[in-house]
Amino acid sequence: MAYTSNVMFVRHRLLAKLVEMWKNDELVEKIDYLPIEFSPRRSKPLGRCCPHKERAVWKYKSFPLLGFDMSDEVDEIDPLSKYARKALDRKAPEKENIMCVIDEACTSCVEINYEVSNLCRGCVARSCYVNCPKDSITFQKNGQAQINHDTCISCGICHKSCPYHAIVYIPVPCEEACPVNAISKDEYGIEHIDESKCIYCGKCLNACPFGAIFEISQTFDVLQSIRRGEETIAIIAPSILGQFKTNIDQVYGAFKQIGFTDVIEVAQGAMGTISNEGEELLEKMEEGQSFMTTSCCPSYIELVNKHIPEMKPYVSHTGSPMYYAARVAREKYPNGKIVFVGPCIGKRAELRRDEEVDMILTFEEVGAIFQGMGIEIEQAPEYQMSFKSVREAHAFAYNGGVMGAVKSYLGPRAAAVSGIEVADLNKGNIKMLRSYAKAGKAPGNFIEVMSCPGGCISGPSAYNDIMAGRRQLNKELTKIQETYATMHG
C-alpha cells in the first residue's frame, strides 16, 4: 500500500488487527486490550497529550470499523467488546449515516482562519486596520498588528490588504476540502457532517490531519455473511486493475481465499452502461436536447439531487456499472449476498437506491482484510473470469474512460459526439456544471462527470496511490484483447 499519510497507515493498521482477531475468533475476547497494545503506558504518542488520550482515540476509531459511530455509545463505561459482540450478532448493516466524525480524535482546529504572523512590520499604512469592516485589528506596543478574534468574521480583507503578506490564512482542512460546505463545527467546536448536503466524494476523509473522519464500514457484516455460510458474491470495480501489484487473476484468487462464493467483474456491468448510454445519447441528440451527462458516478448524482436540481433533465437515465453487474450476479445467485467492491464512498449512497446490492467494501478495507487474514496475494491461486469484458469497460476506472467507451461502442455513429470531461467535483467545476444546467447548453453534447481527479483510480478509499495505480492500470489494459473495434470487425 502507498501510505501518503500516517492517517491512512493508522486506519489500515487498526482494521487489519481487528480482522486478524476476527479470523482467530478472538475479536470479542481481545478487543478491549487493543488500545493498550497500540499505546502502552510509557509510549509517547505524536500529537496527543498522553497515552491515555491516545487509547481513547484507538477505542473510538474502532467504532466505525465495527459499523457504529459515536452516537451509538450510550454509556462511556461500556467496553469495546460489547460493540464487537453487537457487530458479530447483527444480520445486516444497520447504520443510516454513511460518514462520521470521531469526537475524541477531532482537535477542533482553528475557529478563526486568519492570524498575524511575526512578519508584520508595524507599517504606517496600516491597510489591514483601515479596511477591516469590524474594527478587529489592534496594535501592540511595538506597532505590530493583532486580530481580535472575538469580533473577527474571517472575511479575509486584512489578508488581502497586507503588503508584506504578514497575515496568514489558516484553513480547517476538512472544511477546506469539502466542495459543498457539508462539514462545519457544532456547538462544541467539533466538526459535524451534514448528510443532507454531503455528496460522499470523500475529500474530507483523507484531508483531516488527525484522521477523525471515517466512513461507516461494513467489513464485519461481509465477513460474518461468509462465516455463516451464505452465498456471498463480490462484484469488483474496474479500478481493481490498478490496486494490487500482481496479475489480476491472482487478485481474484485472493478474494476467493477470503471466502467469497464467486467473483464478478463490474466491467461486465459497464458494458450494459456503455450500450444503453450510447443509444440514449443518440436518442437525446435526435430529440434536440443540447447535452447529456453521464450517470455512473454516485457522488455526481448526489450533487445533482442535493445542489443542482436543474441538471436532472440532462442526466442520463442509464444505470451504473454496479447496477448492471448486480443484476448479473442476482440472476446467477437469487439468494446470494451481493457485495460491491471499489474505491468509492459514494457507492454506499447508491446502495440505498439499489435493492440488489446488499453491502459495500472498499479497496482500502480489502487490503486490510488480506493482511489481517494473512493472505499473500502474490501466492494466491489464479481465478479466471468466464466472461471476458472489453478493454473499454475496464477503462471506466479513469477519466475519459466512459466517453471513450461510448464512442468506441457507437463506432461511425459517434461522429456527431463532442465531449467534455469533468474529473474532479471541486468548487470551480461545480460552479461550471451549475452554469450549464441553468443555461441549458454546454460547449459539448456529452459530458462525462467523475467526482475524483483522474477518475475512480484515485478514489478516496483506493488502496494504491493515483500515479502508481494509473501506471499499473494502463499496463493491465494492454493485456486485454477484446475491444469494441474487434467486435465491430
Side-chain angles (χ1 to χ4, degrees), residues 96-287:
E96 292 186 4
N97 55 308
I98 291 173
M99 302 189 71
C100 68
V101 177
I102 305 302
D103 294 12
E104 290 288 342
C106 179
T107 64
S108 304
C109 289
V110 294
E111 292 194 24
I112 299 298
N113 296 115
Y114 295 93
E115 189 62 83
V116 180
S117 74
N118 59 6
L119 295 176
C120 177
R121 303 295 298 274
C123 69
V124 177
R126 297 189 170 184
S127 300
C128 56
Y129 169 78
V130 172
N131 289 286
C132 178
K134 294 294 181 179
D135 295 328
S136 297
I137 303 293
T138 57
F139 297 92
Q140 304 177 54
K141 290 182 179 179
N142 62 2
Q144 286 190 336
Q146 61 184 9
I147 298 174
N148 181 351
H149 294 312
D150 292 331
T151 58
C152 176
I153 57 173
S154 289
C155 65
I157 292 175
C158 60
H159 171 72
K160 295 175 183 177
S161 301
C162 178
Y164 293 105
H165 304 287
I167 300 178
V168 295
Y169 172 66
I170 307 171
V172 177
C174 59
E175 294 179 13
E176 186 88 345
C178 180
V180 291
N181 301 318
I183 186 165
S184 59
K185 290 179 174 58
D186 62 16
E187 63 270 28
Y188 303 106
I190 303 297
E191 297 296 333
H192 169 75
I193 298 171
D194 183 349
E195 295 210 12
S196 68
K197 296 179 180 178
C198 182
I199 61 174
Y200 311 111
C201 63
K203 293 181 187 296
C204 63
L205 182 70
N206 295 316
C208 175
F210 291 90
I213 301 175
F214 276 73
E215 52 187 311
I216 308 295
S217 178
Q218 297 174 356
T219 298
F220 292 98
D221 299 285
V222 174
L223 293 177
Q224 283 296 92
S225 174
I226 292 171
R227 178 168 281 177
R228 288 192 295 265
E230 298 170 346
E231 287 184 327
T232 311
I233 299 87
I235 59 173
I236 307 179
S239 48
I240 187 69
L241 294 181
Q243 298 303 309
F244 300 98
K245 294 178 175 63
T246 186
N247 75 73
I248 193 61
D249 292 337
Q250 283 187 301
V251 175
Y252 293 152
F255 273 88
K256 290 286 288 181
Q257 286 187 318
I258 290 174
F260 284 99
T261 307
D262 199 0
V263 174
I264 294 172
E265 289 180 327
V266 171
Q268 182 177 349
M271 292 181 68
T273 298
I274 293 164
S275 58
N276 284 288
E277 197 152 71
E279 299 299 337
E280 184 184 0
L281 175 60
L282 294 183
E283 183 181 322
K284 293 291 177 65
M285 288 169 62
E286 289 175 6
E287 292 173 354

Side-chain angles (χ1 to χ4, degrees), residues 1-3 8 12 242-245 343 363-368 370-371 377 457 459 461-465:
M1 178 181 179
Y3 299 117
M8 299 170 69
H12 175 86
Q243 298 303 309
F244 300 98
K245 294 178 175 63
F363 291 145
E364 185 181 53
E365 290 168 339
V366 168
F370 286 153
Q371 181 176 326
I377 311 172
I457 193 69
S461 300
Y463 185 75
N464 207 351
D465 75 86

Side-chain angles (χ1 to χ4, degrees), residues 36 43 46 65 94 105 117 132 175 202 220 316 352 401 479 484:
I36 299 173
S43 61
L46 295 174
L65 299 181
E94 297 175 354
S117 74
C132 178
E175 294 179 13
F220 292 98
S316 169
R352 295 171 173 173
K479 300 177 183 179
Y484 281 118

Side-chain angles (χ1 to χ4, degrees), residues 37-65:
E37 177 186 338
F38 281 180
S39 296
R41 177 175 293 174
R42 301 194 184 282
S43 61
K44 295 180 180 180
L46 295 174
R48 312 282 182 201
C49 60
C50 62
H52 307 291
K53 172 70 172 180
E54 189 75 350
R55 289 174 189 173
V57 172
W58 283 119
K59 173 184 176 180
Y60 289 116
K61 282 188 175 182
S62 299
F63 271 43
L65 299 181

